[in-house]
């Protein structure tokens, strides 16, 4: 075969081989499922194949382990609401714990006072009994005969008369002594009964406190478990959903005209309370804490007003129950905003539609919109 024919044949073979390879490559690309194909970039052009992808025309090996797909927003929204519920239940239990602790402290202090009174009463009763015994012995020595016989036998009638007067005065003193002894005994019995009842109440308050503590820990542990199962991106998205929900609630509250007519004026005590709360920004929330390094919601507000020279109840529920109520339209910086139908959260109004509060476990004392949670009402500690 001539060199010209051999050249044509070689060229023909090369073309056939090239067509065969291209046909194989087309089959390989066509077999890739649509969801695994390259993701378009912002310009619309397909992104480059990831490093390590099999070459066209080759059989793909086993797929590498896939990164968990982040939960969609609807699932994260359910998680957000579940976390809100768990932390709200923990807040309610915290209020119950604080109330039980306050009651237990008061009962304990009252018991200490009662025990001191009982001890003093016992000493007084012993002194009275000693005096009564001495008086009885003296009367026995001087009263062996009836008064008439002693008068007839006496060589000195005047001396007898004086003795009779002394005896009469002694009888009166004895009667008074016995009356005082009877009253002291009654007071001792009443104090002892009161102490017994208060001890029983103290034990009940301690049991309530222990039960509340157990519930708090359980709810917080449940919430932390839910959060621990989230991927980093899911946590970031969850935080974003929380911010969006808070922003939407605050916007709706402001758009409702809730702040129409609200002035920024406040009292000297209110300024001191706001200044104290502001100085705590960034400190961690710890249930049951009332400073100086950490706070829960009512621990912050109660300590702020104590620093302003105006002590108030310890818990948010007692603050709502016992402090004067004012309309939202009349609130001023330093007033306390009570949240949720069960009054289980409290914050301090700082002015300009903002509050300072200790939100929940895992968070710090912060500033946020006053309308980010359902408002029950407003109270004024120095109203």
């Amino acid at each position: 075969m001539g060199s010209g024919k051999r050249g044509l044949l070689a060229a023909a073979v090369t073309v056939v081989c090239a067509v065969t390879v291209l046909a194989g490559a087309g089959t390989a690309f066509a077999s890739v499922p649509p969801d695994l194909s390259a993701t378009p970039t912002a310009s619309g052009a397909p992104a480059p194949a990831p490093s390590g992808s099999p070459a066209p025309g080759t059989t793909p090996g086993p797929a590498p382990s896939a990164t968990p797909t982040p939960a969609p927003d609807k699932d994260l929204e359910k998680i957000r609401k579940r976390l809100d519920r768990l932390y709200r239940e923990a807040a309610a239990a915290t209020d119950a714990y604080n109330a039980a602790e306050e009651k237990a402290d008061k009962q304990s202090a009252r018991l200490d006072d009662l025990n001191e009174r009982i001890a003093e009463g016992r000493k007084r009763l012993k002194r009275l009994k000693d005096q009564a015994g001495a008086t009885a012995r003296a009367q026995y020595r001087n009263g062996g005969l009836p008064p008439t016989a002693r008068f007839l036998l006496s060589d000195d009638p005047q001396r007898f008369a004086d003795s009779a007067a002394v005896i009469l005065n002694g009888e009166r003193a004895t009667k008074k002594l016995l009356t005082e002894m009877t009253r002291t005994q009654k007071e001792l019995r009443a104090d002892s009964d009161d102490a017994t009842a208060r001890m029983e109440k103290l034990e009940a308050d301690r049991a309530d406190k222990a039960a509340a503590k157990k519930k708090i820990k359980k709810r917080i542990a449940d919430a932390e478990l839910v959060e621990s199962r989230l991927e980093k991106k899911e946590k970031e998205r969850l935080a974003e959903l929380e911010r969006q929900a808070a922003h939407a609630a605050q916007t709706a509250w402001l758009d409702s005209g809730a702040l129409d007519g609200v002035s920024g004026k406040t009292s000297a005590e209110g300024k001191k309370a706001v200044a104290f709360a502001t100085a705590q920004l960034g400190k961690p929330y710890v249930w049951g804490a009332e400073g100086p390094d950490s706070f829960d919601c009512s621990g912050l507000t109660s300590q702020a007003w104590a620093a302003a020279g105006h002590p108030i109840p310890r818990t948010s529920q007692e603050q709502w129950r016992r402090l004067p109520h004012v309309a939202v339209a009349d609130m001023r910086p330093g007033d306390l905003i009570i949240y949720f139908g069960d009054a289980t959260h409290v914050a301090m109004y700082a002015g300009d539609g903002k509050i300072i509060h200790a939100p929940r476990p895992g968070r710090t004392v912060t500033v946020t919109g006053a309308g980010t949670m359902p408002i029950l009402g407003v109270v004024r500690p120095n109203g």
Side-chain angles (χ1 to χ4, degrees), residues 55-140:
T58 60
T59 303
S65 57
T67 301
T69 303
D73 279 0
K74 64 178 181 179
D75 292 338
L76 287 175
E77 183 63 20
K78 289 180 182 178
I79 292 173
R80 184 184 72 81
K81 290 180 178 179
R82 184 183 178 192
L83 287 171
D84 282 348
R85 176 178 58 79
L86 288 171
Y87 281 122
R88 274 208 57 217
E89 289 175 357
T94 299
D95 221 46
Y97 174 90
N98 291 335
E101 183 176 51
E102 189 175 38
K103 289 178 182 177
D105 289 345
K106 288 181 179 178
Q107 294 292 354
S108 183
R110 179 60 178 150
L111 270 173
D112 289 342
D113 291 342
L114 281 170
N115 287 333
E116 288 181 6
R117 280 185 55 176
I118 289 170
E120 288 297 323
R122 286 173 177 165
K123 290 178 182 178
R124 185 170 70 251
L125 185 61
K126 185 179 183 303
R127 288 195 302 267
L128 291 171
K129 285 182 177 180
D130 290 344
Q131 291 176 22
T135 302
R137 288 190 295 272
Q139 286 179 341
Y140 178 79

Side-chain angles (χ1 to χ4, degrees), residues 233-295:
K233 289 184 177 180
E234 290 175 326
K235 290 179 180 179
E236 292 172 352
R237 181 56 184 158
L238 182 63
E240 179 60 27
L241 290 175
E242 290 176 353
R243 286 190 290 270
Q244 289 176 2
H247 177 74
Q250 176 73 355
T251 301
W253 183 67
L254 293 174
D255 290 346
S256 72
L259 291 182
D260 292 350
V262 174
S263 71
K265 295 181 180 180
T266 187
S267 64
E269 288 178 326
K271 288 180 180 178
K272 290 179 181 178
V274 172
F276 178 92
T278 302
Q280 313 315 312
L281 291 174
K283 292 184 178 180
Y285 176 105
V286 174
W287 63 267
E290 46 189 333
D293 300 321
S294 57
F295 297 87

Side-chain angles (χ1 to χ4, degrees), residues 227 239 242 283-286 358-366:
E227 291 179 308
E242 290 176 353
K283 292 184 178 180
Y285 176 105
V286 174
R360 65 168 176 81
R363 303 291 171 83
T364 61
V365 177
T366 188

Side-chain angles (χ1 to χ4, degrees), residues 108-291:
S108 183
R110 179 60 178 150
L111 270 173
D112 289 342
D113 291 342
L114 281 170
N115 287 333
E116 288 181 6
R117 280 185 55 176
I118 289 170
E120 288 297 323
R122 286 173 177 165
K123 290 178 182 178
R124 185 170 70 251
L125 185 61
K126 185 179 183 303
R127 288 195 302 267
L128 291 171
K129 285 182 177 180
D130 290 344
Q131 291 176 22
T135 302
R137 288 190 295 272
Q139 286 179 341
Y140 178 79
R141 287 194 300 269
N142 297 326
L145 293 173
T148 303
R150 281 188 283 121
F151 176 75
L152 293 174
L153 295 174
S154 175
D155 295 332
D156 187 352
Q158 182 59 45
R159 182 180 178 185
F160 169 76
D162 293 341
S163 298
V166 171
I167 291 172
L168 180 60
N169 289 334
E171 288 176 346
R172 288 173 179 170
T174 300
K175 184 177 180 180
K176 183 179 179 181
L177 184 64
L178 292 174
T179 299
E180 188 176 354
M181 282 179 60
T182 302
R183 185 178 69 251
T184 301
Q185 287 174 328
K186 286 183 179 179
E187 289 175 354
L188 269 174
R189 281 196 295 269
D191 286 344
S192 296
D193 291 344
D194 192 7
T196 299
R198 288 184 181 277
M199 179 56 74
E200 292 175 353
K201 186 68 174 66
L202 176 60
E203 292 303 321
D205 290 337
R206 285 172 174 167
D208 290 343
K209 181 179 171 181
K213 181 177 181 179
K214 183 177 180 180
K215 185 174 182 180
I216 294 167
K217 290 189 171 182
K218 179 67 168 62
R219 292 297 180 271
I220 293 176
D222 289 345
E224 289 175 345
L225 179 61
V226 171
E227 291 179 308
S228 70
R229 291 172 175 169
L230 298 175
E231 298 293 327
K232 181 180 178 181
K233 289 184 177 180
E234 290 175 326
K235 290 179 180 179
E236 292 172 352
R237 181 56 184 158
L238 182 63
E240 179 60 27
L241 290 175
E242 290 176 353
R243 286 190 290 270
Q244 289 176 2
H247 177 74
Q250 176 73 355
T251 301
W253 183 67
L254 293 174
D255 290 346
S256 72
L259 291 182
D260 292 350
V262 174
S263 71
K265 295 181 180 180
T266 187
S267 64
E269 288 178 326
K271 288 180 180 178
K272 290 179 181 178
V274 172
F276 178 92
T278 302
Q280 313 315 312
L281 291 174
K283 292 184 178 180
Y285 176 105
V286 174
W287 63 267
E290 46 189 333

